[in-house]
Amino acid sequence: MNDPKSALPPVAGSALDLIGRTPMLEVRNLDTGPCRLFLKLENQNPGGSIKDRVARSMIEAAEADGSLKPGGTIIEATAGNTGLGLAQVAALKGYKLILIVPDKMAREKILHLRAMGVDVRLTRSDVGKGHPEYYQDMAQALAQSIPGAIYANQFENPANPRAHYTGTGPEILAQMDGDLDAVVVGVGSGGTLTGVGRYMAEHSPKTKMVLADPVGSILCDYVATGTHGEAGSWIVEGIGEDFIPDNAQMDLVSKAYSISDRESVDTARLLLRKEGILAGSSSGTLLAAALRYCREQTEPKRVVTLVCDTGAKYLTKMFNDLWLAAHGFDQRELHGDLRDLIAKRYAEGGVIAIGPEDTLLTAYNRMRSSDISQLPVVDHGRLVGILDESDILAAVEGGDDHRGARFKTSVSDAMTREIRTLQAHQGVEALPDVFDRDEVALVVDGDEFLGVITRVDLLNHLRLEA
């Protein structure tokens, strides 16, 4: 009888010991053409991403060369995962960490970092290198102003690609039994491309490096033409650039694919449905490029790509149907009227509402849990009133009876019954008057309540039409 403990890893002495040696999974339920496609599950690192490897490597290199002293301060510019990796290592080693992050960073990452005691400072994501508010320039300037601080600088730090040359690359080739035709990677700082690419060039020369690049990034054009134009914008986090990082050895790339935000999101969601892997937006980009590469082949090949990080960091974004609608990714039918602006539809469960027979305590709990200040009151699909914080306060404050009893008052006794609504067939021009009254637009179709439109919904609509 086999000992079940024989296949298990030994007990680790620290979370740092859990970095690397991540599992490999073969894709079984997606069309990979004549190829076999494998996923290196970097989301299994303790910080949830491949950047744990880089963080440990850079901090240990700074310790070794004496630039990082005990109790010192580390400063970095990051779109998120390098910051989480640095937080993981810095916390265990006793260093202070300050991160400069662009404002498109997922909320989950920011909350994760702040929970670890990191000083997170947001800056603009719509400016390029050389601008004083560009995240890398801000980080470098800050490091120069704080005595004893180091700027980790993943974009130029040689310890970044070294982590992949000594770790990720050897692991991949060993897990593939030395038989590997291509590795599909993205480039943010360039460390994965350069480290894995150099290792493969030395130990598996037949292995091609394939680039997955978001539409808007300059890197795909650079691979194809040796030059590039102006960078655009993209929502995928962690990969794609508006410059060529020093750590990115672009001559290692044999082929590059430009992947749209929509394809990246759709592919990451498909990976969850078909393979049960919850991955982030950059993993969607890599998988989309890997699937394209595999389907283009005319003979069987063995291909590896990376699940760069966990999708748990994007639950309010790419795995949120309301977020998809706000970015025009939901493929909904358009009507040319106010229905097109309703991101949160009552019939689909998108609107937090209350019934007239519910209690004020229930209404209060819904407001608090959803961080909202008012609730539509809906009775069998019909909008019958609106309840806001002032209505609840007026009903429960004062009086001689027990306040707990007053929270048991029904919503119908406290709600505002005189409400102004808009009909679904009306156009966008009906909204400014509603917003000027500091209200949300309550949209109905006849007697049926459809949903609400906020100022943000109007802004999203105007941006998508721009």
Side-chain angles (χ1 to χ4, degrees):
M1 182 174 177
N2 292 331
D3 180 1
K5 293 176 62 178
S6 63
L8 295 175
V11 174
S14 162
L16 299 180
D17 298 332
L18 301 176
I19 296 174
R21 300 182 64 81
T22 54
M24 187 79 77
L25 172 74
E26 183 169 3
V27 172
R28 297 285 191 179
N29 301 307
L30 299 174
D31 176 13
T32 61
C35 300
R36 295 177 68 186
L37 177 60
F38 301 84
L39 305 176
K40 178 75 164 159
L41 301 182
E42 291 299 296
N43 59 338
Q44 299 300 303
N45 281 300
S49 89
I50 192 171
K51 294 295 190 175
D52 285 10
R53 299 175 183 265
V54 173
R56 182 178 62 183
S57 180
M58 292 193 300
I59 288 178
E60 290 179 351
E63 290 173 329
D65 67 22
S67 59
L68 182 59
K69 308 294 185 184
T73 299
I74 303 165
I75 297 171
E76 181 60 321
T78 173
N81 283 323
T82 300
L84 288 166
L86 287 169
Q88 186 84 20
V89 180
L92 293 172
K93 287 178 171 282
Y95 299 115
K96 180 180 179 182
L97 178 62
I98 303 174
L99 296 177
I100 311 299
V101 303
D103 55 18
K104 72 176 184 178
M105 182 176 176
R107 184 184 181 207
E108 289 90 343
K109 292 180 184 177
I110 295 173
L111 294 174
H112 186 165
L113 289 167
R114 287 179 171 155
M116 297 184 75
V118 177
D119 182 350
V120 180
R121 306 184 186 184
L122 297 181
T123 190
R124 293 168 60 178
S125 58
D126 61 343
V127 294
K129 197 170 180 64
H131 190 284
E133 293 185 67
Y134 186 64
Y135 70 134
Q136 294 173 40
D137 294 286
M138 283 188 66
Q140 187 169 14
L142 184 62
Q144 292 169 350
S145 70
I146 299 177
I150 66 160
Y151 175 32
N153 193 6
Q154 61 180 312
F155 297 91
E156 299 180 12
N157 194 323
N160 175 355
R162 188 184 309 133
H164 301 296
Y165 180 85
T166 60
T168 317
E171 289 177 29
I172 290 173
L173 195 58
Q175 287 169 309
M176 297 301 292
D177 296 322
D179 184 9
L180 178 60
D181 295 294
V183 181
V184 181
V185 299
V187 166
S189 64
T192 308
L193 165 67
T194 301
V196 174
R198 287 175 180 171
Y199 184 84
M200 295 303 168
E202 294 177 14
H203 298 89
S204 179
K206 75 168 185 173
T207 303
K208 298 183 182 300
M209 299 301 295
V210 178
L211 175 66
D213 200 38
V215 170
S217 169
I218 66 169
L219 301 176
C220 189
D221 282 348
Y222 183 81
V223 171
T225 67
T227 186
H228 60 82
E230 290 290 323
S233 62
W234 57 96
I235 63 170
V236 169
E237 299 181 33
I239 60 172
E241 278 301 348
D242 52 7
F243 71 104
I244 308 297
D246 287 2
N247 268 336
Q249 189 177 332
M250 299 304 294
D251 61 0
L252 291 168
V253 178
S254 63
K255 188 172 182 61
Y257 295 88
S258 190
I259 306 296
S260 70
D261 285 334
R262 182 167 197 155
E263 186 176 358
S264 297
V265 169
D266 287 347
T267 306
R269 290 170 69 100
L270 184 66
L271 176 64
L272 178 59
R273 291 196 305 272
K274 296 294 187 179
E275 302 289 344
I277 301 299
L278 182 62
S281 54
S282 62
S283 303
T285 309
L286 269 60
L287 178 58
L291 291 171
R292 284 199 205 176
Y293 179 84
C294 288
R295 293 165 186 169
E296 289 175 1
Q297 304 310 305
T298 57
E299 59 185 33
K301 291 188 176 179
R302 291 160 62 85
V303 180
V304 166
T305 193
L306 306 161
V307 173
C308 309
D309 71 345
T310 172
K313 299 170 184 173
Y314 307 89
L315 294 177
T316 58
K317 297 182 76 173
M318 56 186 282
F319 293 103
N320 178 356
D321 290 341
L322 300 179
W323 183 90
L324 294 181
H327 287 80
F329 293 162
D330 62 343
Q331 298 179 311
R332 64 169 61 181
E333 179 186 0
L334 297 179
H335 302 276
D337 56 30
L338 290 180
R339 285 173 290 181
D340 298 343
L341 281 74
I342 301 173
K344 303 176 180 180
R345 302 188 180 207
Y346 176 74
E348 298 170 359
V351 178
I352 307 299
I354 197 76
E357 301 308 314
D358 288 320
T359 66
L360 294 182
L361 180 60
T362 299
Y364 164 75
N365 287 334
R366 288 187 189 174
M367 287 181 183
R368 184 178 61 176
S369 63
S370 301
D371 194 23
I372 55 178
S373 60
Q374 59 184 0
L375 294 168
V377 184
V378 183
D379 186 15
H380 296 92
R382 293 178 57 251
L383 183 67
V384 296
I386 192 90
L387 182 79
D388 64 20
E389 292 170 329
S390 62
D391 295 324
I392 296 178
L393 188 59
V396 302
E397 69 178 349
D400 297 327
D401 57 326
H402 192 271
R403 187 163 288 122
R406 277 173 262 153
F407 271 101
K408 295 179 181 179
T409 301
S410 67
V411 166
S412 61
D413 291 334
M415 70 185 188
T416 300
R417 297 177 183 273
E418 294 182 7
I419 52 176
R420 289 183 271 202
T421 61
L422 297 177
Q423 287 292 328
H425 62 77
Q426 292 181 258
V428 174
E429 64 276 2
L431 294 172
D433 287 344
V434 176
F435 298 148
D436 286 345
R437 298 193 300 265
D438 201 26
E439 298 174 0
V440 297
L442 301 165
V443 183
V444 297
D445 186 7
D447 289 334
E448 180 188 2
F449 177 53
L450 298 185
V452 301
I453 299 174
T454 66
R455 290 182 177 88
V456 171
D457 295 327
L458 177 57
L459 286 170
N460 286 335
H461 174 76
L462 295 174
R463 180 181 59 80
L464 291 174
E465 286 199 333

